[in-house]
Amino acid sequence: MSDIPPSSTSAGAPLGSSVIPIVNKLQDIVVQLGSQSTIQLPQVAVVGNQSSGKSSVLEALVGRDFLPRGNEICTRRPLLLQLIQTKPRSDGGSDDEWGEFLHQGSKRFHDFSEIRREIEAETNRVVGDNKGVSDQQIRLKIFSPNVVDITLVDLPGITKVPVGDQPTDIEARIRTMILSYIKNPACLILAVTPANSDLANSDALQIAGNADPDGHRTIGVITKLDIMDRGTDARNHLLGKTIPLRLGYVGVVNRSQEDILLNRSIKDALIAEEKFFLSRPAYNGLTDRLGVPQLAKKLNQILVQHIKALLPNLKSRISNALCATAKEYESYGHITESRAGQGALLLNFLTKYCEAYSSTLEGKSKEMSTSELCGGARIHYIFQSVFVKSLEEVDPCEDLTDDDIRTAIQNATGPRSALFVPDVPFEVLVRRQITRLLDPSLQCARFIFDELIKISHKCMMTELQRFPVLQKRMDEVILDFLREGLEPSQTMIRDILEMEMDYINTSHPNFIGGTKAVEVAMQQVKSSRISHPFARPKDGVEPEKTSSSASQIKSRSFLGREANGIVSDQGVLSAVDAEKSATSGNTSWSGFSSIFRGSDSQASAKNNLLNKQYNEAAQDDVYQNLSTIYLKEPPTILRSSETHSEQEAIEIQITKLLLKSYYDIVRKNIEDLVPKAIMHFLVNYSKRELHNVFIEKLYRENMIEELLKEPDEIAIKRKRTRETLRILQQAKRTLDELPLEAESVERGYRMGSEPKQKHEELPSTRRSRLDSNGYGQLQM
């Protein structure tokens, strides 16, 4: 160690003379972004317990007393310390040393005790006197020819028990603050542990292990080696045998409290430190891991390599942030004061919007989605997959029963029986089915209207966000305009349906026609009769009564046809009455008994009259009874009989065939004409006339100023974004200076431009560990 003079602190300066100052400059630039910054710059965070010797290590690196001291917590706000090496007087510079605070501007503090007082005052200004902590940084630059270029963040010391009026969760707050720094992959961790404590229980190494479990970013510092118990040493700790770290350990000797009270200079303390290590045989061969000068050199070397490793990602993050900010700033546009400029701006907005609207409908939008249908494709989907498909799935006879059709046929014949199937029932029924097409057609128009509203919202440009009044008025104009287009569309749809209902064109070439319908209907009825030769008896009817039931149906069918098919619910002859009539032997009454009111006594009187077994008085009574015919009152609602004849079945089938055939013709017409009406009166009309409507409604001289009025928050956002853009551009220019200089630093460093120290070589295990981590070329 005798060959390592204290001035070796400055010997390592050339290593980072180009790289670290540029990163420091970046930190000064990025700090202007405040909490919104997501750019993580390389730095070294100092972590340790309260009274672990952190402050002494930092002061030894600077060579001056400048940090607050005391028995209680002293560092209550993170102190970002940038050590900047200046040219000494021997190189044409100056030996002056001074500090500058960011919050004090360019004011220089040449008295380092004044720097201490400023740190205390600035801490109390934010935190107060209650020993609380805050995560707001204090930024301090130290300019001196006796330092190496390093950037350090002194974090509050870890404390276990709150003292005085400290918050009860002081430990949790400090740990959270420390982790917020050291979890950053760009941050190196300087874990400070006093030698007179158990290294395995070190809070600094424990919290560093949480953020850096592999130990790639952690440098261990063992302080107070001079106050270890007699007979003990820290050799195994420094060799990494106790808790290994990839970047190793450095041992230092701090100034004692007595030295501080006696104003012993740091220069004298460094000389005493050197003598201590020389006097301890246990530390022979560890010269590269002992003393503050070696710590400064090691930090400088590792920080330079760390910066170079992070450069590609750092450049990428700054470039991405710059592009995003530039795009955001562009979205806010520029302020135009002149009336002509405002008019041109408004016209440009309206024109660009109309172009975007038309492009979206035509499928020519530059922002076309690949994950879902949009624009005109959605309109086509509604026409074909919603409207047409829904109509094709409808059965025109699904809500018509055979009884409904037979009733309609019978009603159309009036008081007569029809010789042929009448036209009126077909026309009535087919108009009823055509009417069902009106609602889905109007609904289709409404769907397209809603889609156009959605498209109009998506076409709103980002630039319009700065003009909420204009955006609102454009929405109102578009909504009213599309409503105006919806009305003629719906009117046309109604006219189309009314035209279809007003004229039933049975001469249409695709219409099945009466002759063909009769032929098909007869075949269907015939095939149905063959497949069902016997009528299936109803539940509860005995097999032996089947013949009588069949005769009853035949009789009822006959009567129904003779009486125009109308049979009262109460006037139908029951099977039992029919059987009695058949067995009475009087066939002349069999067809009419259902419409006469009779009783058992009346039947008996008739029999006595015919057999001449009663006297004249009795015969007069019988004649008197037979001379009055009683009819049952017809029910309020008359329905067709439950069964129908083969002729009626044919008529029903003919009507169904005609109905389905003509409905299909109308459905195809509707499927073709409704989309055409919507496209003509609504979609294409909006494309053609939207720009003219905008000009008419909005492009007015007395409205331009009101429409282009910006809210205050937009102006604030533009100003803030412009400032962020300026900062990022400055950071990008600063970073562009780095690559060549960093390469020259690395090349010169590898060539061994560093003055060689006369000390023992590193142990082979230690050298291999450094080589595997990428720092093997650093001859420490």
Side-chain angles (χ1 to χ4, degrees):
M1 286 293 293
S2 59
D3 295 328
I4 308 177
S7 62
S8 65
T9 304
S10 63
L15 292 176
S17 59
S18 296
V19 179
I20 297 178
I22 290 180
V23 174
N24 290 343
K25 186 177 180 182
L26 279 175
Q27 287 178 333
D28 293 340
I29 294 171
V30 173
V31 73
Q32 302 175 60
L33 298 176
S35 59
Q36 62 178 332
S37 173
T38 59
I39 300 174
Q40 299 173 339
L41 296 175
Q43 58 188 4
V44 180
V46 185
V47 181
N49 281 337
Q50 185 178 324
S51 303
S52 62
K54 292 191 299 89
S55 298
S56 296
V57 171
L58 294 177
E59 288 181 337
L61 290 173
V62 176
R64 303 292 294 268
D65 293 323
F66 68 98
L67 293 175
R69 288 185 173 275
N71 295 327
E72 299 177 350
I73 183 171
C74 299
T75 305
R76 295 185 289 141
R77 287 177 60 185
L79 175 65
L80 180 64
L81 180 63
Q82 295 178 351
L83 305 184
I84 302 172
Q85 187 184 49
T86 59
K87 290 183 179 181
R89 181 178 297 176
S90 59
D91 291 340
S94 172
D95 291 335
D96 289 345
E97 297 176 309
W98 73 91
E100 294 180 1
F101 288 95
L102 180 65
H103 63 273
Q104 291 287 358
S106 58
K107 179 181 179 181
R108 293 187 176 185
F109 293 80
H110 292 274
D111 185 355
F112 279 75
S113 61
E114 189 178 350
I115 291 177
R116 179 188 299 114
R117 290 191 292 270
E118 180 61 28
I119 292 174
E120 293 174 345
E122 180 63 15
T123 299
N124 292 334
R125 185 184 66 81
V126 174
V127 183
D129 299 330
N130 65 348
K131 302 301 180 182
V133 294
S134 170
D135 59 356
Q136 294 186 28
Q137 286 185 349
I138 299 176
R139 302 179 68 88
L140 172 63
K141 295 180 181 180
I142 300 293
F143 298 85
S144 171
N146 302 316
V147 300
V148 294
D149 291 315
I150 303 175
T151 299
L152 301 159
V153 181
D154 184 21
L155 296 171
I158 302 172
T159 183
K160 295 289 186 181
V161 180
V163 296
D165 54 357
Q166 284 183 340
T168 56
D169 60 343
I170 186 70
E171 180 184 4
R173 291 188 185 186
I174 293 176
R175 286 182 176 272
T176 301
M177 184 191 307
I178 292 173
L179 284 173
S180 69
Y181 279 86
I182 65 177
K183 278 189 174 180
N184 175 10
C187 179
L188 295 173
I189 306 170
L190 196 65
V192 180
T193 304
N196 59 347
S197 65
D198 187 359
L199 192 66
N201 295 325
S202 169
D203 287 330
L205 291 176
Q206 182 266 332
I207 197 170
N210 291 339
D212 180 31
D214 297 328
H216 290 290
R217 301 184 284 114
T218 304
I219 307 168
V221 178
I222 301 177
T223 62
K224 303 181 182 182
L225 292 176
D226 56 328
I227 62 173
M228 294 185 71
D229 294 340
R230 289 181 179 274
T232 61
D233 59 70
R235 184 179 182 86
N236 288 339
H237 296 342
L238 296 174
L239 290 175
K241 293 182 178 180
T242 307
I243 298 177
L245 293 175
R246 295 290 183 89
L247 301 181
Y249 292 85
V250 176
V252 298
V253 174
N254 299 78
R255 288 187 300 164
S256 65
Q257 189 65 29
E258 182 182 3
D259 294 336
I260 295 172
L261 294 176
L262 295 176
N263 291 324
R264 188 180 183 184
S265 68
I266 292 179
K267 183 177 180 180
D268 294 338
L270 292 176
I271 295 173
E273 179 188 54
E274 182 180 359
K275 290 180 180 180
F276 172 80
F277 288 129
L278 289 173
S279 65
R280 296 294 189 277
Y283 299 117
N284 289 341
L286 302 179
T287 53
D288 61 315
R289 308 178 191 199
L290 299 173
V292 173
Q294 286 298 324
L295 176 61
K297 179 180 177 181
K298 186 182 183 91
L299 282 175
N300 178 273
Q301 293 169 344
I302 293 175
L303 184 57
V304 168
Q305 295 299 316
H306 189 60
I307 290 172
K308 288 189 290 185
L310 294 176
L311 272 181
N313 183 54
L314 182 60
K315 286 184 176 181
S316 176
R317 291 179 69 89
I318 291 180
S319 296
N320 292 339
L322 184 61
C323 292
T325 306
K327 186 176 181 180
E328 181 183 359
Y329 180 69
E330 186 68 23
S331 69
Y332 296 133
H334 304 284
I335 301 176
T336 305
E337 300 293 344
S338 65
R339 181 60 61 88
Q342 289 180 338
L345 181 63
L346 176 59
L347 185 60
N348 181 51
F349 282 153
L350 300 179
T351 303
K352 288 176 64 177
Y353 177 86
C354 293
E355 291 175 352
Y357 181 82
S358 298
S359 299
T360 303
L361 286 175
E362 295 170 1
K364 300 178 181 178
S365 175
K366 296 179 180 179
E367 300 180 358
M368 184 181 299
S369 173
T370 58
S371 59
E372 63 175 348
L373 295 180
C374 61
R378 290 181 63 89
I379 294 177
H380 179 267
Y381 181 88
I382 292 173
F383 283 151
Q384 301 303 320
S385 300
V386 177
F387 177 64
V388 172
K389 187 177 179 180
S390 298
L391 295 190
E392 289 178 348
E393 292 175 351
V394 174
D395 181 4
C397 297
E398 65 180 353
D399 61 339
L400 288 176
T401 64
D402 289 354
D403 289 340
D404 294 336
I405 297 175
R406 186 172 54 161
T407 301
I409 295 173
Q410 292 174 357
N411 287 336
T413 60
R416 301 176 304 278
S417 296
L419 299 178
F420 305 100
V421 179
D423 294 341
V424 175
F426 160 70
E427 293 186 2
V428 170
L429 294 176
V430 82
R431 285 191 176 94
R432 188 167 117 186
Q433 299 307 310
I434 292 174
T435 305
R436 296 177 61 196
L437 298 175
L438 178 61
D439 287 339
S441 300
L442 295 176
Q443 193 175 12
C444 178
R446 189 70 192 186
F447 284 166
I448 302 302
F449 172 82
D450 293 339
E451 283 300 322
L452 294 179
I453 295 296
K454 294 177 183 177
I455 292 173
S456 68
H457 290 159
K458 291 182 179 180
C459 291
M460 285 292 179
M461 299 162 290
T462 309
E463 297 93 326
L464 289 176
Q465 294 179 358
R466 54 188 284 221
F467 304 117
V469 177
L470 174 60
Q471 190 172 2
K472 181 180 178 181
R473 289 288 294 121
M474 288 179 67
D475 278 338
E476 293 173 354
V477 170
I478 294 169
L479 184 60
D480 293 341
F481 173 65
L482 292 178
R483 282 174 179 166
E484 292 176 0
L486 178 63
E487 291 179 3
S489 301
Q490 294 176 332
T491 301
M492 186 62 187
I493 290 172
R494 291 188 179 93
D495 290 343
I496 292 172
L497 268 297
E498 288 177 4
M499 287 188 297
E500 293 289 353
M501 288 187 291
D502 280 350
Y503 179 58
I504 307 301
N505 183 16
T506 55
S507 300
H508 194 282
N510 295 334
F511 186 57
I512 189 172
T515 304
K516 181 68 175 176
V518 170
E519 180 182 348
V520 174
M522 293 184 69
Q523 290 177 356
Q524 291 179 351
V525 172
K526 182 178 179 181
S527 61
S528 175
R529 184 175 58 191
I530 292 175
S531 59
H532 302 286
F534 299 103
R536 181 179 178 182
K538 294 184 179 181
D539 294 340
V541 179
E542 297 179 1
E544 56 268 25
K545 294 182 180 180
T546 304
S547 59
S548 66
S549 299
S551 63
Q552 175 195 5
I553 294 173
K554 182 176 180 180
S555 175
R556 289 170 62 185
S557 300
F558 171 77
L559 288 174
R561 198 64 195 153
E562 290 297 324
N564 200 21
I566 304 300
V567 180
S568 167
D569 290 343
Q570 302 173 355
V572 179
L573 183 66
S574 67
V576 177
D577 294 336
E579 190 172 358
K580 289 181 179 179
S581 299
T583 57
S584 65
N586 192 357
T587 57
S588 61
W589 294 95
S590 61
F592 304 95
S593 60
S594 62
I595 59 173
F596 287 96
R597 181 183 302 272
S599 62
D600 293 339
S601 60
Q602 292 173 340
S604 177
K606 294 182 206 175
N607 291 333
N608 292 334
L609 175 64
L610 294 175
N611 293 328
K612 299 181 180 179
Q613 297 177 356
Y614 297 97
N615 52 31
E616 284 185 356
Q619 290 178 357
D620 292 339
D621 293 338
V622 171
Y623 284 121
Q624 185 178 359
N625 291 335
L626 289 178
S627 65
T628 303
I629 300 175
Y630 295 97
L631 298 180
K632 288 186 177 181
E633 290 288 336
T636 305
I637 299 176
L638 294 177
R639 294 185 178 89
S640 300
S641 60
E642 295 181 358
T643 59
H644 48 78
S645 64
E646 180 178 333
Q647 180 181 353
E648 289 176 329
I650 294 174
E651 292 174 354
I652 292 171
Q653 200 62 34
I654 291 173
T655 305
K656 282 186 177 181
L657 290 172
L658 296 175
L659 185 62
K660 289 181 179 180
S661 175
Y662 196 79
Y663 176 83
D664 286 341
I665 294 172
V666 176
R667 175 180 55 77
K668 291 178 181 179
N669 291 341
I670 298 302
E671 290 173 356
D672 179 59
L673 293 176
V674 167
K676 287 181 178 179
I678 296 173
M679 289 297 298
H680 175 72
F681 289 101
L682 184 57
V683 180
N684 292 334
Y685 174 74
S686 67
K687 286 196 303 181
R688 291 190 302 265
E689 300 296 329
L690 181 58
H691 190 266
N692 295 334
V693 172
F694 274 151
I695 297 299
E696 178 185 354
K697 301 289 186 180
L698 300 179
Y699 193 67
R700 299 179 181 179
E701 186 175 358
N702 59 342
M703 296 177 59
I704 293 178
E705 184 176 353
E706 178 187 357
L707 294 176
L708 297 182
K709 183 179 180 181
E710 287 184 335
D712 295 337
E713 57 267 22
I714 296 295
I716 294 173
K717 288 180 180 179
R718 182 193 295 107
K719 182 179 179 180
R720 185 182 63 213
T721 307
R722 181 173 63 242
E723 182 64 17
T724 302
L725 185 62
R726 181 191 64 79
I727 293 171
L728 291 174
Q729 288 173 340
Q730 186 179 357
K732 182 71 166 54
R733 289 193 298 267
T734 301
L735 201 57
D736 288 341
E737 303 171 6
L738 195 56
L740 291 177
E741 297 186 7
E743 184 179 352
S744 65
V745 170
E746 182 179 8
R747 183 169 57 249
Y749 185 65
R750 287 179 175 173
M751 291 173 61
S753 59
E754 217 14 48
K756 292 184 178 180
Q757 304 294 340
K758 296 180 181 180
H759 56 73
E760 296 180 26
E761 295 294 329
L762 291 171
S764 59
T765 56
R766 173 62 175 165
R767 183 179 299 278
S768 64
R769 188 182 299 117
L770 288 175
D771 289 343
S772 65
N773 195 39
Y775 295 102
Q777 72 273 22
L778 303 179
Q779 302 298 325
M780 297 187 291

